[in-house]
Amino acid sequence: MNRLTDLSVYTTGDFKTGAGAVKRLLWYIINVVFFINPLNPISSLKVAFLRSFGAKVGKGVVIKPAVNIKYPWKLSIGDYSWIGENAWIDNLAEVSIGKNCCISQGAMLLCGNHNFKKSSFDLITLSIILEDGAWVGAHSVVCPGVVCSSHSVLAVNSVATKNLEAFSIYQGNPATKVKDRIIE
């Protein structure tokens, strides 16, 4: 068989979805109808669905329209955090979002990547942590294994490939510290 068409060479190693096929299918349907669908602005309904599928969600959380969440059972969101339109939480591993965090429009939290050194292209997954007060700017990307420390900021259209220091502002691709965040 042609190596390019033999899908058996693409493995996922030790990856576990954390849920059975029926639960994943039900979540897929709810995610498409109530989350990704831009016509549903009702945040409290989305929070209820997340909790019913195992997410830990605090009080006062706002989830805007057109948000895509891979696996709610691998998600925790602290009090008064905000997830903007078209954000994508591709949580193949645990994602922890602290209190008073902001994930702006079009931002992506990506917990998975592939091992390009192996012909099997194994999936690599690492957790993401946003500590209290962290802000991920519009159209920014947080890569697998990154910790956005307390009150750090990832500026618009930036890519965090390494941990962000507390009370610091990062910008660029890859993101580098540009200045301290001073909160008045």
Side-chain angles (χ1 to χ4, degrees), residues 58-74:
K59 61 185 174 187
V61 170
V62 174
I63 302 172
K64 301 299 275 181
V67 170
N68 188 1
I69 297 172
K70 179 72 90 183
Y71 297 136
W73 47 90
K74 294 185 177 194

Side-chain angles (χ1 to χ4, degrees), residues 42-99:
I42 305 168
S43 187
S44 59
L45 181 60
K46 295 176 208 174
V47 166
F49 276 128
L50 286 174
R51 287 179 179 144
S52 71
F53 275 86
K56 296 173 185 83
V57 183
K59 61 185 174 187
V61 170
V62 174
I63 302 172
K64 301 299 275 181
V67 170
N68 188 1
I69 297 172
K70 179 72 90 183
Y71 297 136
W73 47 90
K74 294 185 177 194
L75 179 63
S76 66
I77 307 171
D79 298 343
Y80 305 108
S81 287
W82 186 88
I83 302 173
E85 291 90 351
N86 295 303
W88 182 16
I89 301 175
D90 192 24
N91 58 329
L92 297 169
E94 297 294 323
V95 168
S96 175
I97 301 167
K99 296 177 184 176

Side-chain angles (χ1 to χ4, degrees), residues 88 103-110 135-143 153-160 170-172:
W88 182 16
I103 301 171
S104 294
Q105 302 87 338
M108 295 191 296
L109 306 182
L110 305 176
W135 179 8
V136 178
H139 299 280
S140 291
V141 177
V142 178
C143 293
V153 175
L154 182 62
V156 171
N157 220 21
S158 297
V159 179
Y170 287 77
Q171 184 177 31

Side-chain angles (χ1 to χ4, degrees), residues 94-135:
E94 297 294 323
V95 168
S96 175
I97 301 167
K99 296 177 184 176
N100 300 300
C101 289
C102 179
I103 301 171
S104 294
Q105 302 87 338
M108 295 191 296
L109 306 182
L110 305 176
C111 290
N113 204 342
H114 293 276
N115 187 345
F116 59 85
K117 294 178 183 178
K118 291 190 167 191
S119 62
S120 56
F121 209 48
D122 291 349
L123 179 64
I124 301 166
T125 61
L126 295 167
S127 298
I128 291 175
I129 298 171
L130 275 61
E131 293 181 353
D132 293 349
W135 179 8

